[in-house]
Amino acid sequence: MAKKLKNPKAKWAIGLIAIAIIAFIGFRIWKGKQGELPEGIIAGNGRIEAKLVDVAAKEPLRVQKIFVNEGDLVRPNQVLVQLDTTTLQANLAEANANVAAMNERLAVSQASIVKQKSEIELATIELERARRLVKDGAGSQRDLDVRASKLETTKATLAEAEAMLKSSTEQVEVAKASAKTIQTRIADATLKSPVTGRVLYRLAEAGEVLQPGGAALTVVNLEDVYMEIFLPANEAAAIKLGSEARITVDYEPDRAVPGYVSFVSPEAQFTPKQVETKSEREKLVFRVKVQIPKELATRYVEQIKTGIRGVGYVKVNPNAQWPARLQKVITAESASR
């Protein structure tokens, strides 16, 4: 009698376990279906990246002051580093003094020409007068010859003055160019941000001397943000530049960022170590760059974090439809709301 009472409970327990197993399997199948991509869309793992820009010195100068720290957000033309220009300022003062001296020399040459031209006019008048006197028998030939010689000498002096004027003009231009060059060098000693970005590394401190090309800071260009994915040849071959794309990140997979294909590698390579498993790295793949539009990156510049892992999706068939989970996209307009 006891066995008959026990069997119904065992049957119910087995039935519930069977239902739970079926439900679990069904859920896994449903979940797998949700992750499947429609035909015409391919995907690859990657991470958010951005171009790096070095803020560097053009010539060996000492760092006077650095105005930013690692992690600071910077804007185009923002002053980041000031290099010491004491020596250059002294060179500029000397160059400006040289310009002033050359201008004075130029003024003397110009005045000399005016004077020589006046003397030529006077010598010409006196020569004509001497000729008339000789013709009338009232003057001597010797006086005529002296007047003619004086005119020729004055003309030669004018030619010399004009040559001096040309030389002085050239020297003024050279002096101005030298001063302008030093001014440019002084301007170059003020290091400004070329992009909107975030300071990644602070590579120098006040008092250090930077060598030509030596970087004081490294800035992440947050206007040039992208994800690189690696796809096998049969998938990469179908991708065209400009193809529509989507990016999702692991911490927020239910929202997608619109993008486009800006680069497809012309040659195969091994998948980078940090992206895939060892078995995947052993396969040859093609690097594909999914670019985030600049205007969108600029809108979300304060939220962008490089190095975040995610997935990049690319349409190889323009008529393919994005699955529902990739249709909720972030836009520049939503950033302003």
Side-chain angles (χ1 to χ4, degrees), residues 209-222:
V209 176
L210 295 179
Q211 297 304 314
L217 302 167
T218 297
V219 176
V220 180
N221 182 2
L222 296 181

Side-chain angles (χ1 to χ4, degrees), residues 55-105:
V55 179
K58 285 189 175 182
E59 57 182 290
L61 291 173
R62 190 179 302 277
V63 177
Q64 188 175 68
K65 190 172 183 180
I66 298 180
F67 300 97
V68 292
N69 294 305
E70 291 180 355
D72 287 353
L73 187 66
V74 298
R75 302 289 181 178
N77 294 318
Q78 178 180 341
V79 176
L80 306 182
V81 181
Q82 180 61 59
L83 303 178
D84 188 6
T85 60
T86 303
T87 303
L88 291 176
Q89 293 289 353
N91 292 340
L92 179 61
E94 183 180 350
N96 286 334
N98 191 35
V99 170
M102 292 301 103
N103 277 324
E104 287 182 7
R105 186 177 297 180

